């Protein structure tokens, strides 16, 4: 069977984003086949190009100028170095916007208006343009003009109030997530919104402005914890590695390490109790149902923890798997990429790179059977495609392109 073209083949995206939320969104679109043209500041580029070490190493093992952070969110894109603060640079970006289906930007509210690159200015020439703005707090509201960064958003949006060990235990206190989840979720929600607008444009023929805020996305992603609060009137608190609504659903110490046990129903609990040699607990009225286990958590968990400490981690994992009880190890990243399931799913790929020879990438989790994700090129060097894009898309001569490369006096 011949492979169908990638889902977004023929869609052009103008990427005016930097750091993570915006680039994560546009990398999704690029993975799905869109042509993504990333506009970067000449001489500096995306802020994350300098967010190292670590940096990608060349064939001799010497650091290149490509930071690992930047590489994580910019594959499959073209890089064009243009100074949008100059009249000619802004004019060229406007010309690219006229040819584009989607524009994604994460400038401060109103920051692009003085260059004629705001939505109202661009839609006059391109009414089908889908324009996605990503900011910390959105285009409206009392905080709209404030800068917003992932760490502070995790705090303001409630995530850190439910992440970390209980305050009454050693090490208790607020804790951020190990990756920038507010940025990443905003990038994912932005992707969804853009694809929805693209589908709607097929009916109306019109684009629209999509207003994305890190704070909105952080609040929305709290999922069941939002409704725990809304239905009870009680704000959930930090519970460490335990679950607010399920017991036992947490980390346990074995004799030689730690493992996760994630019991999701009463049948699994009965099997779990049988495996660890405490079948009587599943018949105890205090623990027979999940609501009762949640209510009597403090009585049940110490009994389970004491028994778990008598066996080795891998013994428990094998026995629990055989019994159909969800359980798993706590892997470091080197162990993650050695895991046979991760390897079978091809979650690590290698792409050719112009200065390093090859570059590793974490694969997209999107698995489409007929039009799969494509890995066409690594994250680009700064301005790598300036000449190609300006010549092919805008018809600029070599002399005009050369003049753009000259620093402003």
């Amino acid at each position: 069977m011949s492979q169908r073209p990638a889902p977004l083949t023929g869609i052009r995206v103008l990427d005016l984003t930097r750091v993570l939320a915006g680039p994560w969104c546009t990398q999704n679109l690029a993975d799905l086949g869109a042509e993504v043209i990333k506009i970067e500041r000449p001489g500096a580029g995306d802020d994350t190009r300098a967010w190292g070490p670590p940096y990608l190493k060349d064939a001799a093992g010497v650091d290149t100028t490509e930071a690992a952070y930047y590489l994580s969110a910019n594959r499959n894109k073209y890089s064009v170095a243009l100074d949008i603060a100059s009249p000619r640079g802004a004019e060229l970006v406007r010309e690219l916007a006229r040819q584009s289906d989607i524009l994604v930007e994460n400038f401060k509210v109103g920051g692009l208006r003085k260059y004629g690159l705001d939505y109202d200015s661009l839609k006059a020439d391109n009414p089908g343009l889908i324009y996605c703005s990503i900011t910390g707090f959105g285009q409206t509201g009392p905080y709209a003009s404030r800068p917003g960064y992932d760490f502070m958003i995790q705090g303001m949006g409630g995530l850190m109030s439910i992440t970390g060990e209980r305050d009454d235990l050693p090490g208790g206190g607020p804790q951020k997530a190990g990756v920038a989840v507010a940025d990443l979720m905003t990038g994912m929600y932005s992707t969804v919104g853009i694809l929805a607008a693209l589908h709607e444009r097929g009916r109306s023929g019109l684009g629209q402005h999509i207003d994305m805020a890190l704070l909105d996305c952080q609040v929305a992603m709290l999922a069941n914890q939002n409704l725990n609060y809304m239905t009870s009137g009680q704000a959930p608190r930090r519970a460490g590695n335990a679950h607010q609504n399920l017991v036992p659903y947490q980390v346990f110490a074995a004799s030689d390490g730690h493992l996760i046990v994630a019991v999701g129903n009463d049948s699994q609990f009965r099997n779990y109790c049988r495996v660890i040699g405490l079948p009587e607990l599943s018949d105890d009225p205090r623990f027979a149902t999940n609501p009762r286990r949640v209510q009597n958590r403090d009585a049940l968990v110490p009994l389970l923890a004491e028994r778990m400490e008598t066996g080795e981690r891998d013994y428990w994992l094998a026995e629990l798997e055989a019994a159909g009880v969800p359980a798993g190890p706590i892997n470091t990243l080197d162990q993650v990429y050695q895991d046979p399931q991760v390897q079978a799913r091809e979650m690590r790929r290698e792409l050719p790179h112009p200065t390093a020879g090859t570059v590793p990438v974490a694969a997209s989790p999107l698995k489409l059977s007929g039009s799969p994700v494509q890995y066409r090129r690594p994250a680009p060097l700064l301005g790598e495609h300036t000449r190609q894009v300006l010549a092919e898309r805008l018809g600029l001569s070599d002399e005009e392109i050369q003049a753009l490369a000259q620093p402003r006096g």
Side-chain angles (χ1 to χ4, degrees), residues 315-338:
Y315 168 79
W316 289 132
L317 288 173
E319 292 295 309
L320 292 170
E321 180 181 358
V325 178
I330 301 172
N331 287 333
T332 56
L333 278 178
D334 56 327
Q335 294 169 328
V336 168
Y337 284 101
Q338 293 164 9

Side-chain angles (χ1 to χ4, degrees), residues 20-234:
L20 188 55
W24 200 252
C25 167
T26 53
Q27 180 170 266
N28 282 334
L29 301 174
D31 284 351
L32 292 169
E35 178 189 80
V36 176
I37 299 173
K38 183 179 178 74
I39 306 298
E40 300 191 72
R41 292 172 296 167
D46 190 311
D47 300 8
T48 61
R49 287 184 179 274
W51 284 16
Y55 294 92
L56 182 66
K57 295 184 183 299
D58 64 18
V62 178
D63 282 350
T64 68
T65 59
E66 305 301 297
Y69 198 119
Y70 167 78
L71 295 171
S72 73
N74 289 286
R75 68 168 169 257
N76 284 334
K77 303 178 186 180
Y78 297 92
S79 173
V80 173
L82 279 177
D83 181 6
I84 67 169
S86 71
R88 181 56 173 158
E91 179 186 1
L92 292 173
V93 175
R94 286 194 296 272
E95 289 186 31
L96 287 170
R98 293 187 191 102
Q99 301 177 9
S100 297
D101 301 282
I102 298 160
L103 186 150
V104 187
E105 59 92 7
N106 63 350
F107 284 72
K108 66 181 182 180
V109 173
L112 289 175
R113 188 172 298 119
K114 59 186 174 182
Y115 308 121
L117 294 172
D118 57 301
Y119 175 63
D120 288 336
S121 297
L122 295 179
K123 75 174 182 179
D125 291 328
N126 185 357
L129 182 66
I130 295 164
Y131 188 111
C132 180
S133 296
I134 299 174
T135 58
F137 300 99
Q139 303 292 305
T140 60
Y143 301 165
S145 62
R146 294 186 186 180
Y149 293 91
D150 177 275
F151 191 3
M152 58 182 283
I153 297 296
Q154 287 191 40
M156 293 182 69
L159 180 64
M160 291 176 64
S161 76
I162 57 172
T163 303
E165 191 50 88
R166 281 169 29 185
D167 289 349
D168 60 338
L169 294 177
Q175 183 67 53
K176 73 178 182 67
V179 293
V181 291
D183 275 339
L184 295 170
M185 285 297 292
T186 302
M188 297 304 294
Y189 273 120
S190 297
T191 304
V192 172
I194 287 168
L195 294 179
L198 193 61
H199 179 73
E200 192 279 336
R201 191 181 71 173
R203 295 194 299 265
S204 69
L206 298 173
Q208 56 187 297
H209 188 200
I210 303 172
D211 174 9
M212 299 299 303
L214 268 67
L215 183 61
D216 294 354
C217 294
Q218 177 61 88
V219 172
M221 67 171 278
L222 296 185
N224 59 297
Q225 296 285 32
N226 282 325
L227 270 293
N228 286 347
Y229 162 67
M230 292 179 185
T231 57
S232 71
Q234 299 295 316

